[in-house]
Amino acid sequence: MKRRKFIGRSAISLAGISIGSGLIKPHLFAMTKNITPKPIAIATWNFQNATKMAGKMLEDGASALDAVEQGVMVEESNLKNTTVGDGGAPDRDGNVTLDACIMAPNGNAGSVVYLKEIAHPVSVARKVMEETPHVMLAGEGALQFAIQQGFKRKNLLTAESEKAWKEWLEHKKYQPIINIENHDTIGMLCMDKNGDIAGACTTSGLSYKMNGRVGDSPIIGSGLFLDNEVGGAVGTGMGEAIMKSVGSFLIVELMRQGKSPQEACEEAVMRTVRKAPNYKDFQVAYVALNKQGEIGSYCIHKGFSYAKFHEGESSDNPSPSYLDS
Ligand code: SD4
């Protein structure tokens, strides 16, 4: 190979394509830039109480894993939030069933699906991750495990949720509501002072879903995925659409290939838009964070935003959308 050509190739290699048989990943360059990571917490929707809790913990030196768990627990406890944790809307038969997952910087993951009567499913998911050889526990087994771990049973159906469900029973129209009152499933990503990333996602799923239905939120790769070398992504909206495109995994892999978080979120939403003829009937939204602390978000319908806590400041950040409404 001529010297000039070789130099040309080397330059491309250093820009992140390849050297010899090895692959140089773009993020490795950024990591060598001597950046001091600034802790950051982001979450789907305007859940600023949750990102504030997590962000302040991170500033005090907490790990991303502890911060993300405590952060989403704020919404699991919020009785006014009828799509997460305690007070979540029931399925069409009146059961409140919760889905949640958590991922650690080392790639470990835990998840619970169709969990009843436990107010903090994210903490049960963490126990699955840390105390069992498994990733996911479902239904009765997940409940038994939670009780063994010391979690207390509780009736999660509030009087308000029961009333709304009984009103729904009168017409039984199953229609996903786009941007339910602007608060919804919480998916959170945190980066701590070491630059390590963790994530969590927790929900009661779609209101009045079929008994037994599980959505994207507890599915590693769908509602949440991260790779501590690259970044992370979380999704919210119509879980069926997110699962069919394995949206969060897709975003992380696109970032690994060099796309910005924004470009990666846009591509993931477009996969759904291109494949689902009825995409106008539901919302799908993603928010992503890369290792350099860059954030991206995109959704089908206007109205989605993400909460952020960074350098002592809390904000709500409206997301660009594919449709104007
Ligand atoms: C689900 N993705 O169970 C969740 C619900 C949600 O906006 O995020 N709704 O499908």
Side-chain angles (χ1 to χ4, degrees), residues 85-256:
D86 205 354
D91 65 18
R92 55 183 65 181
D93 299 330
N95 309 294
V96 180
T97 66
L98 305 179
D99 298 338
C101 71
I102 192 160
M103 259 192 111
N106 64 4
N108 254 354
S111 159
V112 286
V113 305
Y114 196 83
L115 178 64
K116 292 180 182 171
E117 296 181 290
I118 301 290
H120 289 297
V122 72
S123 300
V124 185
R126 183 165 177 179
K127 289 285 185 198
V128 172
M129 175 173 82
E130 292 177 343
E131 306 294 336
T132 82
H134 306 305
V135 169
M136 183 183 284
L137 291 180
E140 187 56 32
L143 176 60
Q144 278 171 20
F145 170 72
I147 291 164
Q148 280 160 15
Q149 291 292 321
F151 291 87
K152 297 276 173 279
R153 291 172 94 133
K154 185 177 181 211
N155 175 15
L156 304 177
L157 186 64
T158 56
E160 290 77 23
S161 286
E162 188 172 10
K163 184 165 170 273
W165 167 60
K166 288 194 169 144
E167 281 164 17
W168 177 83
L169 281 178
E170 283 166 20
H171 51 82
K172 286 192 182 172
K173 212 155 93 206
Y174 184 61
Q175 237 176 19
I177 305 166
I178 295 166
N179 298 336
I180 307 172
E181 296 164 32
N182 255 352
H183 54 71
D184 222 279
T185 293
I186 182 163
M188 180 181 279
L189 296 165
C190 283
M191 190 183 332
D192 62 28
K193 283 186 174 170
N194 296 327
D196 288 327
I197 299 175
C201 191
T202 177
T203 189
S204 54
L206 298 179
S207 306
Y208 319 131
K209 58 196 176 185
M210 285 178 71
N211 184 14
R213 182 265 187 190
V214 171
D216 62 305
S217 305
I219 310 293
I220 300 299
S222 290
L224 164 71
F225 191 70
L226 63 91
D227 181 326
N228 196 38
E229 289 185 11
V230 179
V234 283
T236 178
M238 181 57 78
E240 282 70 8
I242 295 172
M243 284 193 273
K244 285 178 204 167
S245 56
V246 200
S248 294
F249 181 73
L250 172 63
I251 290 168
V252 173
E253 293 311 303
L254 290 170
M255 293 196 294
R256 191 193 305 279

Side-chain angles (χ1 to χ4, degrees), residues 257-271:
Q257 289 163 22
K259 289 214 187 299
S260 68
Q262 185 59 36
E263 289 167 337
C265 287
E266 289 179 17
E267 174 57 21
V269 167
M270 291 313 293
R271 295 271 170 111

